[in-house]
Amino acid sequence: MATKPILVSGMQPSGRLHIGNYLGALKNFVELQDFGDYQCYFFIADLHSMTEPYEPSEKRRQIINLTADFLAAGIDPKKSVVFLQSLVPAHSELAWILNTITPMGELERMTQFKDKSARQEANVNAGLFTYPVLMAADILLYGTRVVPVGDDQLQHLELTRTVARKFNTRFGGTTFMEPKGLLTKTPRVMSLKDPSKKMSKSQPESCLFLDDEPEEIAAKIARAVTDSDTKIAYDPEKKPGLSNLLEIYAALTHLEPEAVAKEFSGATYAEFKKKLTSLVSSYFAEFRANKKKLMAKPNTLIKVLESGSKKAAKVADVKMAEVKKKVGLRA
Ligand code: ADP
Ligand code: TRP
């Protein structure tokens, strides 16, 4: 049997998922899984999430919550390997080895590092700096071809390719493959409050969360920043707020944003916002119901992670043995 190309992606358990995470990444995870062309690995990046301020007593809950999000959205542990990063020690081990060949200068260029250090001035830890090296390890361990992510992660993927090349050149052979990023049509959903910035968990008031109740969705969309014009048109430059809402509508209905603008050409902003509200509420109704059921059985979710992590570790350990040999640690 021919083996399928490998697809890997992860998310940090650091808060509730928003519609940017969904349209930029998670929705694509599910579609790619169901498409069946790839062997998919989806994981909870708990080690990465320790680089931002967190409460130890909440971390476990966040891990379970994100696992429920994955499954509620349609990730199926029978089709994909679903695992927890910290249950596969090879990730940390490879990250250390890759640290020793990654130039500081490459890491200093990372915009996410610059943004996050500015945001958490009191906690600019070394983990935040080497974050992309751990991400490279996550990806390179599995012989990954494609990595579905939002566009804010593309720079990290470029670094992953650089590190893979450096390793292969330094130690000879082709231990690592260079992966490609896979973007959706909405790789950057913008903030509801400030459409010049991306929607981000760090600004909760800018987000539509996947498990928001219909009343919250209605209130947030009603308050979403648009412009003072009255004509509905898709124009990201001149009408960034409205265009962001049109893009969300388009992504959920598999239409182009221009076509959505045309459909609402005679409507007021308020009328369009009402329609968007009912679309978002009904689109995620099944997700909300699934998630409630899954959260009632946390032990089942933990079992999913444990069994997936065993499968992932089997693959990762083989690559780790090869790496240790290459770098001279083993005969
Ligand atoms: P956040 O920036 O909200 O903390 P994460 O960094 O945990 O989100 O991102 C998880 C995934 O969701 C990544 O693949 C990321 O690229 C994607 N993503 C995050 N925010 C957005 C957004 N506003 N639009 C599209 N994709 C996004
Ligand atoms: N850095 C990613 C994010 O913030 C999460 C992540 C960690 C990831 N390791 C990965 C994504 C490997 C894809 C592949 O969203």
Side-chain angles (χ1 to χ4, degrees), residues 8-12 43 45 48 131 135 138-139 147 149 153 156:
V8 171
S9 196
M11 281 196 192
Q12 300 186 67
F43 70 96
H48 275 110
Y131 178 112
M135 179 159 164
D138 298 335
I139 296 167
V147 184
V149 279
Q153 296 300 315
H156 291 162

Side-chain angles (χ1 to χ4, degrees), residues 90-233:
H91 288 243
S92 319
E93 249 188 313
L94 180 60
W96 178 259
I97 292 177
L98 298 181
N99 264 326
T100 67
I101 61 160
T102 306
M104 295 277 283
E106 294 281 347
L107 296 176
E108 277 159 2
R109 293 193 307 115
M110 297 291 119
T111 55
Q112 184 172 294
F113 170 68
K114 291 186 228 170
D115 290 350
K116 287 192 181 173
S117 346
R119 223 160 57 205
Q120 52 188 72
E121 266 180 355
N123 182 14
V124 184
N125 59 82
L128 203 56
F129 188 63
T130 58
Y131 178 112
V133 182
L134 177 59
M135 179 159 164
D138 298 335
I139 296 167
L140 298 177
L141 270 176
Y142 298 92
T144 307
R145 288 302 181 85
V146 292
V147 184
V149 279
D151 78 346
D152 59 327
Q153 296 300 315
L154 288 181
Q155 199 185 25
H156 291 162
L157 275 182
E158 199 53 56
L159 180 88
T160 301
R161 282 194 286 274
T162 304
V163 171
R165 270 197 307 276
K166 267 192 174 299
F167 187 98
N168 291 342
T169 309
R170 168 79 175 87
F171 300 105
T174 46
T175 307
F176 296 129
M177 266 197 280
E178 290 184 41
K180 279 202 193 85
L182 214 56
L183 296 183
T184 66
K185 279 189 179 169
T186 38
R188 177 173 286 247
V189 176
M190 308 313 277
S191 154
L192 297 182
K193 288 265 158 184
D194 176 359
S196 70
K197 298 206 172 79
K198 84 163 189 135
M199 185 180 285
S200 171
K201 277 177 277 195
S202 55
Q203 273 98 33
E205 66 295 347
S206 77
C207 296
L208 276 178
F209 292 109
L210 301 196
D211 52 10
D212 272 344
E213 293 297 335
E215 311 77 66
E216 293 168 284
I217 298 172
K220 285 181 182 173
I221 293 181
R223 281 197 307 263
V225 170
T226 46
D227 51 72
S228 52
D229 192 17
T230 51
K231 190 174 157 18
I232 295 207

